[in-house]
């Protein structure tokens, strides 16, 4: 209670929540004033000039300051001072733990940008404004059921927001809305026994790592993949899910070696460099740097699958003459493995064994631009192809030469 204090200092209570009257003022003991050093922290960052740490202990401590949901703030500009009053629990009893912090500014036209600290748990996201102890300090839960399941996948990407891995896939929080952006590569995240793609090993999803690439502007996420390997090697990261921030498109890269870390090294006066750390070989390699090939592995082997071709009728067959690629670069397509469904009596979702044909590369090049052709000459219900090759290349266009086979018309008796 405010007012005018008395002439003499009162006898201060030493028990928390006990009050004492001092003239018109009523003072309340809010806890110890001893600066207790946090026992640890799973996540930390500097925001608003102060150090913040999240998930400070694996279980709740007896002094009520630390635990899996504890968020603590140190003094501004002083990493060694931790006022116990600058501590809160975020969803203390929701059976979740702190999974990461991120900082960015939320701005509107004509309004000074507002600094915002975002705290993630497994299935919830919380927005924090202001510094602890200030009048404008507030914690609000974001309207989403997504949080973060891989702390080191959190990246603030300019122009998009905070991107991270959630239980629903890769999602973006733009300061207001939270939405999934990984639907095009969903089979590479969530395993499906009916597909020929193995998904992410969910037991080790927390080990996923992410970083950014400057040129081109990318978000790269490394994830563990379900394999038949032993427990000793599970958790290594051999797949990159790469999101082009400007084109809003995904690319999948299966690395020829396992890694355990991704990092963007930022040095003044040089282009930021994206590097990765090997899982067990003790090597550090650079990525996305324009190397024509890797000395230890040679030219990169690549493959992709274009959209499936079929008629506008479920029972009508099409005649596929050939598959045509227009390409650019030093690399060449080498083969196309066609996946065919030729019989109307078969399950339209099933395919015959792939038919692998070599790609015929055109000899008439204009610089490094050329055409590659795979002749098929088959009548099928539906078809797609796994196209593969080696070396640096850009696929400008994929074209199928197809003729629709009209269904037979029954005779009418007159």
């Amino acid at each position: 209670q405010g007012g005018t204090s008395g002439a003499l200092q009162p006898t201060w209570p030493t028990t928390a929540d006990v009050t004492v009257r001092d003239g018109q003022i009523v003072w309340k003991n809010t806890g110890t004033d001893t600066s207790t050093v946090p026992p640890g922290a799973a996540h930390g960052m500097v925001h608003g000039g102060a150090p913040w740490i999240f998930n400070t202990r694996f279980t709740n401590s007896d002094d009520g300051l630390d635990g899996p949901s504890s968020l603590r703030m140190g003094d501004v500009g002083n990493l060694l001072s931790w006022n116990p009053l600058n501590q809160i629990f975020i969803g203390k009893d929701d059976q979740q733990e702190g999974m990461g912090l991120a900082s960015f500014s939320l701005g509107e036209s004509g309004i000074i940008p507002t600094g915002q600290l975002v705290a993630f748990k497994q299935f919830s996201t919380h927005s924090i404004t202001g510094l602890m102890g200030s009048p404008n300090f507030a914690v609000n839960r974001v309207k989403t059921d997504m949080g973060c399941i891989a702390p080191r996948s959190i990246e603030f990407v300019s122009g998009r927001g905070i991107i991270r891995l959630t239980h629903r896939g890769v999602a973006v929080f733009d300061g207001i809305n939270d939405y999934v952006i990984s639907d095009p590569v969903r089979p590479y995240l969530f395993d499906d026994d009916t597909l020929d793609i193995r998904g992410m090993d969910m037991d080790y999803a927390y080990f996923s790592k992410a970083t950014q690439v400057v040129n081109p502007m990318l978000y790269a996420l490394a994830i563990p993949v379900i394999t038949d390997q032993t427990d000793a090697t599970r958790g290594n990261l051999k797949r990159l899910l790469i999101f082009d921030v400007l084109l809003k498109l995904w690319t999948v890269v299966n690395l020829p070696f396992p890694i355990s870390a991704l990092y963007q090294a930022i040095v003044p006066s040089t282009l930021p460099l994206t590097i990765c750390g090997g899982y067990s070989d003790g090597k550090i390699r650079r990525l996305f740097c324009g190397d024509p090939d890797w000395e230890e592995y040679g030219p990169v082997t690549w493959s992709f699958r274009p959209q499936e071709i079929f008629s506008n009728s479920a029972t009508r067959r099409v005649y596929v003459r050939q598959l045509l690629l227009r390409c650019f670069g030093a690399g060449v397509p080498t083969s196309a493995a066609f996946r065919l469904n030729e019989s109307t009596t078969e399950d339209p979702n099933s395919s015959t064994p792939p038919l692998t044909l070599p790609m015929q590369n055109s000899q008439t090049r204009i610089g490094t631009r050329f055409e590659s052709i795979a002749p098929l000459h088959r009548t099928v219900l539906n078809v797609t192809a796994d196209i593969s090759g080696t070396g640096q290349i850009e696929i400008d266009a994929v074209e199928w030469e197809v003729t629709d086979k009209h269904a037979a018309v029954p005779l009418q008796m007159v």
Side-chain angles (χ1 to χ4, degrees), residues 18 100 133 163 192 221 260 346 387:
V18 175
I163 303 180
D192 188 343
L221 173 66
S260 61
E346 293 178 355
I387 305 168

Side-chain angles (χ1 to χ4, degrees), residues 325-333 361-372 392-396:
L325 304 181
R326 288 189 174 88
C327 312
F328 175 81
V332 293
N361 296 299
S362 171
Q363 301 300 318
T364 57
R365 289 194 176 205
I366 303 177
T368 55
R369 195 173 300 277
F370 61 99
E371 293 182 350
S372 291
Q392 288 188 334
I393 193 172
E394 293 182 14
I395 307 296
D396 291 337

